[in-house]
């Protein structure tokens, strides 16, 4: 029995109690939840429904809890119900009801953990969005791992999600990039405000190979060639490195398209209709202070040039016009000041900034070697890049390490730790369970032990304390997925896999009385088959959880 099924049983019992006592059914919720008690000795699950309904119907909570306990005690699969404190219900399942979960998980396969909790929500999720002036640095890599995991979580809970990379291919940083490439082609040092690193020389050489005529052009014409070709090459490299990291976007959106299609003018007109624009000193301003910003923002300068914020406004409007009800943007730690102006901008468009716009801020990442932060990339020259991280610890460890922590906390990634083949290494610890469950299944097949069909499954034989503990951990997975999606916290998946499933599985596997395989010449029993179901259910949950993080579930290690 899953927590959701038990919650439904509790609610059904409440309906019966209300009918029997003539209470108003309107006070009953559409759904309720059951939770794990902090102390396992208090039972398998706990419900606070009696406490929640007591005041609404004017019945003392313990009296209502007693009636619910009597009704629940007659429900199939319920072993016992105890009343605690002011009216808590502590519920114990019988072994058969608890053990049925193993079959449910195995038969559900990749679908186990998925739900329709966020069905109907259409979400645009923008992350990474690094400028095409250099490789993806380690801060952007964090968003690649977290953002991709979040998109998987949102889809697993029923949301319609469009992932997006905003390609800043307009503005002064692109001009500096082009001047840097031009200088490198001449063997000159980078401009004072330009970009350094070996990659600049590499791109300049590639542009000259593609467009040999650039050598005979004057500086202005050559710089334009380097701008167009260099940006294309850099973006191809960014896309390729992200693809190798397991991250693909539904949409790669060019900032230049906003300018070429006149969308900045459209956004300006929409904001003017809303009555939030004014002119001052020849510039066009957006009155964001009306909605809590610390100052008003310039959209168009007195010389006619657009500001970056004008492009932000146009891009937000473009997303909303494409039908996305919620726009989620992931930004680095240095963008914390953007939250106020972006929220105010959404309000200026007439949106609800708390409903339609969500901004997540990610903190810094340090890559440590021998206990000291690595400061520079051999190729980029100034920052640690995606390739540096992957070369150091691999894709799986990189993705897991970056998604394992709350994104609003700075993290240190120790190369020695994340390459260690031991339980100290979190990704190794979880992947080892995936491999151990696969190994157990292979060994079972070698001795003729198979699960058999579901009809022959004896869930009541999974009655050992360690088996029950593992079943409880596996039952939590759908709720963990739902909360991780709703709270935008993929790290909850990693911690659950480590602290609940992996620990419980190792205790189960290492318990002598819970052997999956028969000893020596012992015959295969129904208990062996039941434990194989539990073993395979564990692998399903581990694989599903790792998939949500974009990490593999190996069969061998």
């Amino acid at each position: 029995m899953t927590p959701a099924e038990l919650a439904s049983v509790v609610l059904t019992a409440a309906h019966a109690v209300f009918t029997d006592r003539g209470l108003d059914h309107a006070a009953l919720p559409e759904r309720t939840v059951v939770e794990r008690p902090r102390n396992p000795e208090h039972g398998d699950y706990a419900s606070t429904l009696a406490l929640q309904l007591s005041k609404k119907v004017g019945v003392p909570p313990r009296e209502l809890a007693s009636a619910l306990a009597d009704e629940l005690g007659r429900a199939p699969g319920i072993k016992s119900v105890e009343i605690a404190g002011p009216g808590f219900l502590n519920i114990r399942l019988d072994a058969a009801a608890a053990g049925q979960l193993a079959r449910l998980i195995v038969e559900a396969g990749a679908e186990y953990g998925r739900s329709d909790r966020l069905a109907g929500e259409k979400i645009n999720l923008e992350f990474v969005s690094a400028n095409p002036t250099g490789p993806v640095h380690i801060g952007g890599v964090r968003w690649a791992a977290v953002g991709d995991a979040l998109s998987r979580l949102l889809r697993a809970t029923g949301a319609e999600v469009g992932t997006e990379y905003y390609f800043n291919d307009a503005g002064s940083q692109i001009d500096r990039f082009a001047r840097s490439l031009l200088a490198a082609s001449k063997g000159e040092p980078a401009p004072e405000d330009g970009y350094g690193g070996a990659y600049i020389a590499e791109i300049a050489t590639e542009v000259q190979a593609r467009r040999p005529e650039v050598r005979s052009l004057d500086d202005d014409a050559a710089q334009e060639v380097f701008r167009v070709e260099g940006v294309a090459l850099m973006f191809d490299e960014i896309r390729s490195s992200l693809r190798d990291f397991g991250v693909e976007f539904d949409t790669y959106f060019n900032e230049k398209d906003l300018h070429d299609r006149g969308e900045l003018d459209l956004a300006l007109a929409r904001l003017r209709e809303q009555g939030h624009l004014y002119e001052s000193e020849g510039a066009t301003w957006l009155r964001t202070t009306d909605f809590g910003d610390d100052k008003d923002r310039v959209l168009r300068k007195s010389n006619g040039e657009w500001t970056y914020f004008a492009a932000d406004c146009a891009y937000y409007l473009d997303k909303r016009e494409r039908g996305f009800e919620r726009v989620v943007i992931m930004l680095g730690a240095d963008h914390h000041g953007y939250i106020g102006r972006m929220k105010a901008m959404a309000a200026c468009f007439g949106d609800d900034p708390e409903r339609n716009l969500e901004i997540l801020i990610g903190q810094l990442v340090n890559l440590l070697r021998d206990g000291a932060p690595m400061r520079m990339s051999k190729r980029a020259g100034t920052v640690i890049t995606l390739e540096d991280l992957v070369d150091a610890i691999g894709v799986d460890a990189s993705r897991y390490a970056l998604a394992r922590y709350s994104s609003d906390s700075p993290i240190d990634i120790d190369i020695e730790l994340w390459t260690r083949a031991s339980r100290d290494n979190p990704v190794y610890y979880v992947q080892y369970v995936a491999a151990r469950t696969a190994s157990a299944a292979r060994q079972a097949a070698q001795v003729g032990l198979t699960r058999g069909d579901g009809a022959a499954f004896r869930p009541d034989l999974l009655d050992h304390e360690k088996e029950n503990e593992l079943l409880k951990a596996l039952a939590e997975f759908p709720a963990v997925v739902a909360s991780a999606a709703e709270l935008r916290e993929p790290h909850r998946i990693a911690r659950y896999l480590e602290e609940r499933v992996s620990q419980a599985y190792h205790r189960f596997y290492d318990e002598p009385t819970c052997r999956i395989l028969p000893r020596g010449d012992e015959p295969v029993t129904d208990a062996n088959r039941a434990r194989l179901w539990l073993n395979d259910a564990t692998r399903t949950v581990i694989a599903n959880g790792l998939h949500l993080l974009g990490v593999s579930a190996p069969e061998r290690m």
Side-chain angles (χ1 to χ4, degrees):
M1 185 182 298
T2 67
E5 289 172 335
L6 178 57
S8 178
V9 170
V10 171
L11 199 55
T12 299
H15 275 274
V17 169
F18 271 46
T19 299
D20 185 55
R21 291 182 163 230
L23 300 175
D24 184 4
H25 281 69
L28 289 167
E30 291 186 7
R31 65 180 184 181
T32 187
V33 296
V34 292
E35 299 176 338
R36 294 292 187 190
R38 293 183 180 179
N39 186 344
E41 295 180 0
H42 292 166
D44 297 324
Y45 293 96
S47 170
T48 60
L49 187 60
L51 294 169
Q52 296 168 14
L53 296 176
S54 174
K55 287 186 178 180
K56 294 182 180 180
V57 296
V59 177
R62 281 190 66 90
E63 180 182 332
L64 190 56
S66 178
L68 284 170
D70 290 342
E71 188 67 33
L72 278 170
R74 292 189 285 272
I78 304 295
K79 181 179 180 180
S80 65
V81 184
E82 298 173 356
I83 304 168
F88 295 103
L89 293 172
N90 290 332
I91 306 168
R92 286 181 170 82
L93 304 180
D94 63 36
Q100 282 289 358
L101 180 70
R103 180 168 63 87
L104 182 151
I105 293 172
V106 171
E107 293 179 347
E111 292 300 305
Y112 182 68
R114 302 180 70 89
S115 71
D116 59 358
R117 184 73 67 89
L118 300 181
E121 287 203 33
K122 189 172 183 181
I123 300 172
N124 181 279
L125 180 62
E126 180 199 341
F127 56 100
V128 183
S129 295
N131 290 334
T133 54
V136 180
H137 63 77
I138 198 166
V141 182
R142 183 175 197 176
W143 275 141
V146 174
D148 188 63
L150 181 54
S151 72
R152 294 165 184 247
L153 280 166
L154 293 171
R155 287 171 174 142
T157 46
E160 181 181 347
V161 181
T163 57
E164 198 142 318
Y165 185 113
Y166 184 52
F167 189 50
N168 303 91
D169 56 348
S172 59
Q173 82 277 7
I174 299 298
D175 294 334
R176 296 198 303 272
F177 177 62
R179 291 200 304 272
S180 301
L181 294 174
L182 178 61
S185 72
K186 297 179 178 182
E188 299 174 355
E192 187 175 339
D193 61 347
Y195 297 91
Y199 77 95
I200 291 292
E202 294 170 7
I203 294 174
T205 300
E206 180 64 23
V207 171
Q208 291 177 92
R210 288 188 176 193
R211 300 283 299 274
E213 76 277 11
V214 73
R215 298 184 179 90
S216 61
L217 300 176
D218 61 51
D219 282 357
D220 287 344
Q223 182 175 313
E224 179 60 18
V225 171
F226 278 112
R227 186 190 71 78
V228 173
E229 297 290 343
V231 164
L233 284 168
M234 192 72 257
F235 188 49
D236 286 345
E237 179 177 326
I238 290 171
R239 288 184 66 166
S240 177
S241 62
L242 287 170
R243 187 181 304 115
D244 292 342
F245 196 58
V247 179
E248 290 271 12
F249 290 87
D250 299 319
T251 301
Y252 292 89
F253 193 102
N254 286 17
E255 179 186 350
K256 190 172 181 294
D257 289 344
L258 292 172
H259 295 265
D260 293 345
R261 297 198 297 247
E263 292 196 42
L264 280 81
D265 288 304
L266 177 64
L268 202 72
R270 185 71 59 85
L271 292 167
R272 196 180 300 280
E273 290 173 7
Q274 295 288 334
H276 300 299
L277 293 186
Y278 67 94
E279 308 294 325
S280 178
E281 300 178 353
T284 302
W285 297 71
L286 180 62
R287 193 176 285 106
T288 53
T289 51
D290 285 352
F291 298 99
D293 196 7
D294 58 347
K295 62 180 180 181
D296 292 340
R297 304 290 170 175
V298 176
L299 297 183
R300 200 165 205 167
K301 302 176 185 178
S302 58
N303 63 3
E305 292 182 0
W306 295 103
T307 64
Y308 286 120
F309 188 60
D312 290 337
C313 294
Y315 186 36
Y316 173 80
L317 181 61
D318 181 274
K319 291 175 179 178
R320 294 285 285 119
E321 293 289 298
R322 280 185 274 148
F324 291 105
E325 298 162 1
R326 186 183 293 270
V327 173
V328 181
I329 306 173
M330 296 178 157
L331 299 174
D334 57 339
H335 288 74
H336 199 278
Y338 277 54
I339 297 177
R341 74 188 72 170
M342 293 293 286
K343 291 282 189 180
M345 173 266 291
C348 288
F349 275 119
D351 283 348
D352 177 355
E354 299 308 312
R355 163 65 187 161
N356 301 115
L357 178 62
E358 192 173 332
I359 298 177
L360 307 178
I361 300 293
Q363 293 301 319
L364 301 176
V365 182
N366 290 312
L367 186 61
L368 306 182
R369 187 186 295 276
D370 299 324
M374 294 175 59
R375 297 296 183 190
M376 295 176 60
S377 166
K378 292 180 179 178
R379 183 163 179 263
T382 55
V383 295
I384 302 299
T385 67
L386 187 158
E387 287 77 10
D388 296 324
L389 180 61
V390 171
D391 287 346
I393 65 175
V395 172
D396 275 352
S398 297
R399 291 191 60 135
Y400 194 95
L402 292 165
R404 182 177 183 261
Y405 302 91
S406 174
S407 56
D408 60 4
S409 300
I411 57 174
D412 294 328
I413 297 177
D414 188 311
I415 291 174
E416 283 71 28
L417 170 66
W418 288 92
T419 54
R420 195 177 299 158
S422 74
R423 289 190 174 192
D424 296 336
N425 178 349
V427 70
Y428 179 88
Y429 183 59
V430 175
Q431 288 186 316
Y432 182 65
V433 175
R436 200 174 196 186
T437 54
S439 174
R442 288 194 301 271
Q443 293 177 54
Q446 290 169 5
V447 299
L449 169 59
T450 62
R451 292 194 309 265
D453 61 28
F457 174 47
R458 289 282 307 279
D460 57 300
L461 297 177
L462 297 175
D463 58 358
H464 192 279
E465 176 188 357
K466 296 295 187 284
E467 294 162 345
N468 186 254
E469 179 186 349
L470 179 53
L471 285 164
K472 287 180 181 179
L474 301 180
E476 295 169 11
F477 185 54
V480 173
V481 173
S483 63
E486 291 175 341
L487 297 172
R488 318 300 192 232
E489 294 181 343
H491 70 275
R492 289 173 175 263
I493 300 295
R495 296 309 176 102
Y496 161 77
L497 294 177
E498 292 171 40
E499 298 166 8
R500 296 292 293 129
V501 181
S502 296
Q503 289 185 15
Y505 180 78
H506 286 308
R507 286 193 286 265
F508 154 73
Y509 190 91
D510 296 337
E511 170 58 46
T513 57
C514 294
R515 285 182 58 83
I516 299 171
L517 304 178
R519 295 179 184 273
D521 295 331
E522 290 179 351
V524 171
T525 67
D526 286 341
N528 296 130
R529 295 188 185 91
R531 291 174 191 138
L532 184 58
W533 277 94
L534 182 54
N535 175 82
D536 293 355
T538 304
R539 176 166 176 83
T540 297
V541 170
I542 288 284
N544 290 358
L546 286 173
H547 175 74
L548 290 172
L549 300 177
V551 177
S552 68
E555 294 193 357
R556 290 179 170 84
M557 289 183 72

